[in-house]
Amino acid sequence: MLTINSGYIVTQTGIRAGICGECIYEKERVTAITNFTSVNIRIPHDFEDSGDAISRYLIKEPNKSLLLISPPGWGKTTVIRSVARALSAGKLGAPKRVSVIDERGEILPKNQFGLIDRFYLYSKKDGIEIAVRLFSPELIVCDEIGQSDDIDALLSLQNT
């Protein structure tokens, strides 16, 4: 999958640049973006302790789910990155098996430590299904729920 055809590119460190320009379609699929008119760069911030309160909650309530909602740019990805790292590395107790469904490659940079299985550029549906069937995660982390397929993938977890 070429992310530029989805309107963005991501570096190995998780910096994402949204690209705007002229869109070229072929059979109802974007095949290219040309004549760029603007770029929006999102630089991930690494506040290591930002998810500690949520991590403690998830340790105390291991059978609970959590949904973070806020406007863009308020740090949701930063917090879930912190939670995934803290729980997988055993920062607040025994390490947990964490599956990160990193659909756009911006939640975690490559070469993470701890018990993290990173499903890089997987759709939420495929990443969640493979994680549950083959990796036995104690925590599944994903970002930007926005499509009905994303919701269906999350609802499928109720049956596991």
Side-chain angles (χ1 to χ4, degrees), residues 7-74:
Y8 66 94
I9 56 174
V10 180
T11 69
Q12 287 188 359
T13 58
I15 296 171
R16 185 173 72 180
I19 301 167
C20 189
E22 293 180 24
C23 189
I24 298 173
Y25 286 92
E26 185 175 303
K27 296 182 182 178
E28 299 183 19
R29 287 193 61 172
V30 176
T31 58
I33 297 176
T34 62
N35 300 321
F36 302 137
T37 57
S38 58
V39 175
N40 178 19
I41 298 174
R42 292 180 68 183
I43 299 172
H45 294 80
D46 198 8
F47 297 105
E48 192 173 311
D49 301 334
S50 63
D52 284 1
I54 291 172
S55 297
R56 281 191 283 280
Y57 170 78
L58 291 171
I59 289 169
K60 280 185 7 182
E61 301 287 347
N63 296 321
K64 299 284 184 171
S65 298
L66 182 68
L67 176 65
L68 298 179
I69 300 173
S70 75
W74 283 43

Side-chain angles (χ1 to χ4, degrees), residues 5 7 15 17 19 25 29 33-34 44-45 54 69 71-72 88 93 95 99-100 106 117 119 129-130 146-147:
N5 290 352
I15 296 171
I19 301 167
Y25 286 92
R29 287 193 61 172
I33 297 176
T34 62
H45 294 80
I54 291 172
I69 300 173
S88 70
S99 290
V100 176
E106 65 181 348
D117 297 307
F119 293 82
E129 181 179 330
I130 293 167
Q147 305 297 321

Side-chain angles (χ1 to χ4, degrees), residues 68-85:
L68 298 179
I69 300 173
S70 75
W74 283 43
K76 295 175 297 296
T77 302
T78 300
V79 168
I80 65 172
R81 180 182 306 120
S82 172
V83 168
R85 286 177 173 167

